[in-house]
Amino acid sequence: MPVIRHRLTSRILVGNPLGDPIERELCVYLPPDYDPDSARRWPVLLALVGYGGSGGMLFNLDPVGEPLDARLDRLIASGACPPVIIAAPDCFTRVGGNQYINSAGTGRYEDYLIDEVIPFVDASYRTLPRGQWGVFGKSSGGYGSIVLGMRRPEVFCALADHSGDANFELCYLPDFCGALDAFREAGGPAAWLDRYWADPNRRRSTQYKPLTALGMAVHYSPNPEAPAAHLRVDWPFALDSGEFLPAVWERWRAQDPVHMVDRHVDALRSLRAIYVDCGTRDEFALHWGSRALVRKIAAHGIAVRHEEFDDGHMNIPYRYDVSVPFLARAITGRS
Amino acid sequence: MPVIRHRLTSRILVGNPLGDPIERELCVYLPPDYDPDSARRWPVLLALVGYGGSGGMLFNLDPVGEPLDARLDRLIASGACPPVIIAAPDCFTRVGGNQYINSAGTGRYEDYLIDEVIPFVDASYRTLPRGQWGVFGKSSGGYGSIVLGMRRPEVFCALADHSGDANFELCYLPDFCGALDAFREAGGPAAWLDRYWADPNRRRSTQYKPLTALGMAVHYSPNPEAPAAHLRVDWPFALDSGEFLPAVWERWRAQDPVHMVDRHVDALRSLRAIYVDCGTRDEFALHWGSRALVRKIAAHGIAVRHEEFDDGHMNIPYRYDVSVPFLARAITGRS
Amino acid sequence: MPVIRHRLTSRILVGNPLGDPIERELCVYLPPDYDPDSARRWPVLLALVGYGGSGGMLFNLDPVGEPLDARLDRLIASGACPPVIIAAPDCFTRVGGNQYINSAGTGRYEDYLIDEVIPFVDASYRTLPRGQWGVFGKSSGGYGSIVLGMRRPEVFCALADHSGDANFELCYLPDFCGALDAFREAGGPAAWLDRYWADPNRRRSTQYKPLTALGMAVHYSPNPEAPAAHLRVDWPFALDSGEFLPAVWERWRAQDPVHMVDRHVDALRSLRAIYVDCGTRDEFALHWGSRALVRKIAAHGIAVRHEEFDDGHMNIPYRYDVSVPFLARAITGRS
Amino acid sequence: MPVIRHRLTSRILVGNPLGDPIERELCVYLPPDYDPDSARRWPVLLALVGYGGSGGMLFNLDPVGEPLDARLDRLIASGACPPVIIAAPDCFTRVGGNQYINSAGTGRYEDYLIDEVIPFVDASYRTLPRGQWGVFGKSSGGYGSIVLGMRRPEVFCALADHSGDANFELCYLPDFCGALDAFREAGGPAAWLDRYWADPNRRRSTQYKPLTALGMAVHYSPNPEAPAAHLRVDWPFALDSGEFLPAVWERWRAQDPVHMVDRHVDALRSLRAIYVDCGTRDEFALHWGSRALVRKIAAHGIAVRHEEFDDGHMNIPYRYDVSVPFLARAITGRS
């Protein structure tokens, strides 16, 4: 069955600070046995892509790999996975991606997902009711999954966090020197971002660090009073001298899943399934982030399925072969 | 207008030596003003993707870049490009891509394009007649474009070769050490290729060199009498000792565009437009390949539009902003 | 005049915690006009090499570069530099280098320099008296120079800090993922260090990060009560989970030159010359460390000569062409 | 016993084409039991360093590694190696190193070694007579060792070739794109070389490929009639278009040890010991060069000790622990 492409017009994103579109694509995968006229209801997962992506890319043609719809068709046909609906929203922004939180820097994307995307899917398809959704994603999408799972237990009952941002001192600080260099050369973060969008090639290796640092800063330490040239952000390093600024960093740390766990124990305990995995050669140290996160959760006596595998951060959608069936079974109660 | 996705069943590819599918996708982009009921005819370009790709990937969702259909819509709307049809075939193979030639190692892909894809498009759409097609592509697709332009002037009147394989000593030989290492470790090229396809991640950096060397060897020096463990290929380096084997290499050299020029002067002279470009930091030395190729063509007094730009080999579809209008204008006679 | 190689037997280093030798080489460069029988006295500089080095390496044969003695002979012969004595001590340790501080983890190397090396040189050669010494070095040796200059103004009147460790969040934290990975694989830091010394090649690229992280930790956060398997160090990241431990990190931060400045303003003000430089492409972000450091010093109205140059961290002894004459002139009062 | 540093004044190198010095350092290591007044004679090895080096560097201070004199003292003290003299000449040139052959491009360095260095050592020390010398070296020094062993069996009876240049298509061609780029940017090879020597840092990563390509070209395809701007070299790639030029390449190939073997079978057969090794991850593909070379020699029924080890091309002097005792025993007849 083909992937259905919807266009949603958001009210929540109206007036978002980056001027990003309010009309957004939403892709919905339906399992082969889906029948809109049936009385049956299907489990449904929210899929959150990594930084730089948009939900629809999960279904892009790829003869070397396997698009998500082909993957699911195969898993379901073999019996490895119960039939499941997947909703993949677009949350791309001018700063190159999304962490799937409400932020004064980017907009209310958590609310967009919870209050517009999910209700739309529930209204359009025969899904299991709110409260039984699952959420999964990789990298920034893994971050979004664990954070939404902790903050919205009334919506989600299962989550999978693949190589998700965590233990921010290890995963983010190594990018900052390259970012500071690039901002200095361009005349500041706002000038750098303008130049980025004016460049016809936005996948140069030199762009990765400034774009990531900038994107995270806009999410984690926005400040509407900060200079426009600074992108209205408080930076954790002084842009002119590079000095580390601990007070700003504390704002980032507060949004590190490792440190959010203790504030969301009840929510985590209420979930039916928590899945965390990461490649042991993750280029952004997220295998350590995953370990720290899992340790924090497990310290409360909460079960986590934690897996590691011999790979890095990129090109690992084959891990959905493990996580998606795990979530679908947890939701449907089939083991 | 959406991209039309056809599925063709090839007769020419039946029994191809790699056991690749004979049912193939063909994507067709139609310009906004296309009208099947008009008496008008539109220029049409064959689009050949690089190694590892399939034509449909040109239209993949990409919020960071610009899919080919959005690019063409924009160029046509602005008047930068005459309305043009683009046909993007799938020629992916078990060796990871295609050079778009007839080869005893892969199959008769040149014939597939000329005798099945193009006739199908001509029959299905209001194209300018055979003989007025253009062809363009990048990397292996650039190679295919220059080679088809030289060999099939009765079909094509214009070509664009972006960063196309050329000057093989510079572009291919540097991959061979990594390939020989990988084959040795795996137990030979055939064993390596089996292992590659068994790996859920087929974009590991360690795979690039063996896959490329293997793919080129299957195209350029196949030998049905060679051992199956060697993939029925004569290798330009002894697989056990690494010794360079000049006699095999001569077979590759004969298929180097730089050395094909002198054998196809009349064909090249008959074309209305030849476009060659490459980034000056091409990681595969193809800026030198392009220079050598252009010099050979120009030595015969044939005009070539040759451009260089400050970039590498990857993420350069923005160059189609230059080449596609150039070809479309040459075909339609508008300047 | 040849470089004089002494062997000193230290009392201060007796019983050092790493079991490093107490007999140490000291190399002394004498200027061409040096005359032990003259009544004249020469300015003298303490030279501190970077991590992994020993003072005598400054004089190693190098046809591609220029050993320090040849450099000084040239600078002095041309009149660019006043005649100057240079004393280059060996402070190599089992953890691969030295930060030139007293540390419970390595031994009392600051005391060794101040109370044994300098008195030995003053007693053996016709140096300007204590209080008029200069100190210079690169990387860890730059760190040692700025720290000794701040802490020992009764000994030094001039310092040059080339690409010295500073702003530790930017320069050290990026090494930790690789270090944690290596320790985990080896069975802990002590096991890793044993394996390092058992390896006949101790310059593998994989060794750099664990060795550096380990070396810095032994210097900055030693704890004699910590497990031997942890090298009797408190680690700023949990070795099992990777969690960042701010309390340990604060001990590192207290030894960051950027944060030492405010505690040593009088000492810095008493110096005749402070020189700081760094390449703008320093691989360890030390150009930002230098900027942060210079800004802190300058905020107190203290003059600093700050230079930047277009290079990275390695192979930059040509910068001594600038710093050594600057120090020698400041000491001798010639401009 | 200290290493003895001689300065030789060469007559053979007078008027060498690169204008390199004719006064040259020669370092001689003497074993602990060496006694100039004894009637005994000691075996002696010629040590040839890699490109970019000079013989004396083998004895440079290195706390992380082990200088050659310390290594030999240890091997001899333990009984692993018979006492042996080692003579390490300086053959550094303006093109950054030496291949240890007579070349119209660099000078008669083979003659310098055979007719000046070796006679000087034989006259100065109690060596076993000419005909019983051994020769060993790494990289370009490995190349020199195998070539001298093949060409001068009247002088040498044993050789060790560590990671020596061989199978030139694999080891040299990958450097040429970077070289052509650099030459183009600088305005030609001669201009590039001037700029190289004017740069205070001559170890930039960008310099490696042009320097190596240039150095090899000056050795293998010099042409006194070629333009000075081309460094009086025939280049195997056209400097303006990058086109590969097979006729020039044949001149290189003729000097590839793999292809020299068949012309020097008698000489090789006359040797008492041939040792070849290489790391299996050699960055210049020399593990394949070694394999091809060994296979060629062994095809004549000549014994070769061939070893491989898990390392790359750099920082591998620990392999002398194997080769030097092997040569010394072969020369002295002790097993």
Side-chain angles (χ1 to χ4, degrees), chain C residues 3-189:
Chain C
V3 172
I4 316 296
R5 294 176 185 268
H6 300 278
R7 291 202 78 80
L8 272 62
T9 302
S10 170
R11 280 167 297 118
I12 288 171
L13 298 178
V14 170
N16 68 76
L18 295 171
D20 283 308
I22 61 166
E23 190 177 313
R24 292 289 182 155
E25 186 179 71
L26 173 69
C27 291
V28 178
Y29 165 82
L30 298 174
D33 69 354
Y34 183 78
D35 175 359
D37 302 321
S38 157
R40 183 176 152 199
R41 292 193 170 271
W42 279 260
V44 55
L45 307 179
L46 183 68
L48 304 178
V49 296
Y51 215 74
S54 172
M57 292 173 72
L58 293 167
F59 308 102
N60 271 349
L61 182 65
D62 178 9
V64 171
E66 188 179 29
L68 187 60
D69 48 336
R71 186 178 301 278
L72 264 291
D73 285 351
R74 174 177 56 75
L75 290 170
I76 293 169
S78 73
C81 187
V84 63
I85 299 169
I86 293 181
D90 169 48
C91 297
F92 190 77
T93 70
R94 186 166 184 269
V95 293
N98 213 304
Q99 297 298 99
Y100 306 104
I101 57 175
N102 292 337
S103 161
T106 59
R108 290 165 48 213
Y109 283 92
E110 176 181 327
D111 292 349
Y112 171 62
L113 295 173
I114 300 298
D115 297 330
E116 295 189 329
V117 169
I118 284 178
F120 173 84
V121 176
D122 282 341
S124 305
Y125 297 96
R126 298 197 55 76
T127 54
L128 285 176
R130 187 179 174 96
Q132 299 187 51
W133 274 65
V135 58
F136 75 102
K138 187 218 142 190
S139 197
S140 290
Y143 174 82
S145 299
I146 185 74
V147 167
L148 289 179
M150 286 194 277
R151 294 168 49 85
R152 298 296 189 135
E154 77 283 9
V155 177
F156 301 103
C157 71
L159 72 88
D161 168 1
H162 293 274
S163 309
D165 303 15
N167 211 25
F168 288 179
E169 285 83 6
L170 274 189
C171 75
Y172 291 147
L173 291 182
D175 288 342
F176 264 94
C177 178
L180 291 168
D181 286 341
F183 299 156
R184 179 182 171 104
E185 200 271 334

Side-chain angles (χ1 to χ4, degrees), chain A:
Chain A
M1 188 166 301
V3 171
I4 316 297
R5 294 174 187 268
H6 300 277
R7 293 201 76 80
L8 273 62
T9 302
S10 170
R11 278 168 297 118
I12 289 171
L13 297 179
V14 169
N16 68 76
L18 296 170
D20 283 308
I22 61 166
E23 189 177 314
R24 294 288 182 156
E25 186 179 73
L26 172 70
C27 291
V28 178
Y29 165 83
L30 298 174
D33 68 354
Y34 182 78
D35 175 359
D37 302 321
S38 159
R40 181 175 152 201
R41 293 194 169 270
W42 279 260
V44 54
L45 306 180
L46 183 67
L48 303 178
V49 296
Y51 215 75
S54 172
M57 292 173 71
L58 293 167
F59 308 102
N60 271 350
L61 182 65
D62 178 9
V64 172
E66 188 179 29
L68 187 60
D69 49 335
R71 185 179 303 278
L72 264 291
D73 285 351
R74 173 177 55 76
L75 291 169
I76 293 168
S78 73
C81 187
V84 64
I85 299 169
I86 294 182
D90 169 48
C91 297
F92 191 77
T93 70
R94 186 166 184 269
V95 294
N98 214 304
Q99 296 298 100
Y100 306 103
I101 58 176
N102 292 338
S103 161
T106 58
R108 290 166 48 214
Y109 284 91
E110 177 181 325
D111 290 349
Y112 172 62
L113 295 173
I114 300 298
D115 297 331
E116 295 190 327
V117 169
I118 285 178
F120 173 85
V121 175
D122 282 341
S124 306
Y125 298 96
R126 298 199 54 76
T127 54
L128 285 177
R130 189 178 173 95
Q132 299 187 52
W133 274 64
V135 58
F136 74 101
K138 186 217 142 191
S139 197
S140 290
Y143 175 82
S145 299
I146 185 75
V147 167
L148 289 179
M150 285 194 277
R151 294 166 49 83
R152 299 294 189 136
E154 78 281 10
V155 177
F156 301 104
C157 71
L159 72 89
D161 168 1
H162 293 274
S163 309
D165 303 15
N167 211 26
F168 289 179
E169 284 83 7
L170 275 188
C171 75
Y172 291 147
L173 291 182
D175 288 342
F176 265 94
C177 177
L180 291 169
D181 286 342
F183 299 156
R184 179 182 171 104
E185 200 271 334
W192 184 88
L193 188 60
D194 288 341
R195 189 186 289 188
Y196 171 77
W197 283 106
D199 188 340
N201 180 355
R202 289 184 284 275
R203 289 193 164 94
R204 299 184 197 266
S205 63
T206 50
Q207 293 162 340
Y208 178 81
K209 290 184 179 187
L211 184 65
T212 302
L214 183 157
M216 298 307 114
V218 169
H219 278 88
Y220 297 139
S221 50
N223 175 3
E225 309 300 312
H230 291 195
L231 276 175
R232 307 220 181 276
V233 158
D234 291 331
W235 291 88
F237 291 86
L239 294 175
D240 53 356
S241 73
E243 187 181 350
F244 180 68
L245 302 171
V248 178
W249 185 250
E250 284 303 313
R251 294 171 60 191
W252 291 48
R253 249 173 101 73
Q255 296 170 86
D256 185 334
V258 173
H259 304 301
M260 291 176 70
V261 165
D262 289 348
R263 305 197 304 268
H264 295 90
V265 174
D266 289 347
L268 286 164
R269 202 182 306 280
S270 75
L271 299 174
R272 292 184 215 165
I274 304 175
Y275 176 96
V276 176
D277 77 7
C278 195
T280 55
R281 294 181 280 116
D282 190 283
E283 293 84 352
F284 307 101
L286 296 172
H287 46 312
W288 289 104
S290 300
R291 289 167 191 160
L293 173 63
V294 165
R295 168 130 348 181
K296 286 277 182 185
I297 299 172
H300 293 284
I302 299 167
V304 187
R305 179 168 173 186
H306 180 213
E307 301 207 353
E308 299 198 336
F309 52 95
D310 181 29
D311 210 332
H313 192 75
M314 307 308 289
N315 307 309
I316 51 175
Y318 61 90
R319 298 300 305 173
Y320 301 148
D321 281 27
V322 182
S323 61
V324 169
F326 179 66
L327 298 187
R329 288 180 192 285
I331 293 169
T332 56
R334 297 190 234 166
S335 65

Side-chain angles (χ1 to χ4, degrees), chain D residues 197-277:
Chain D
W197 283 106
D199 188 338
N201 180 356
R202 289 184 285 274
R203 289 192 165 94
R204 299 185 198 264
S205 62
T206 51
Q207 292 163 341
Y208 178 82
K209 289 184 179 186
L211 184 65
T212 302
L214 182 157
M216 298 306 113
V218 169
H219 277 90
Y220 297 139
S221 51
N223 175 2
E225 309 301 313
H230 291 195
L231 276 175
R232 305 219 182 278
V233 158
D234 291 332
W235 291 87
F237 291 86
L239 294 175
D240 53 357
S241 73
E243 186 181 350
F244 181 67
L245 302 171
V248 179
W249 185 250
E250 284 303 312
R251 294 173 60 192
W252 291 49
R253 250 174 99 74
Q255 296 170 86
D256 184 333
V258 173
H259 304 299
M260 292 177 69
V261 165
D262 289 348
R263 306 198 301 269
H264 294 90
V265 173
D266 289 347
L268 285 164
R269 203 183 304 279
S270 75
L271 298 174
R272 293 185 214 165
I274 303 174
Y275 175 97
V276 176
D277 78 8

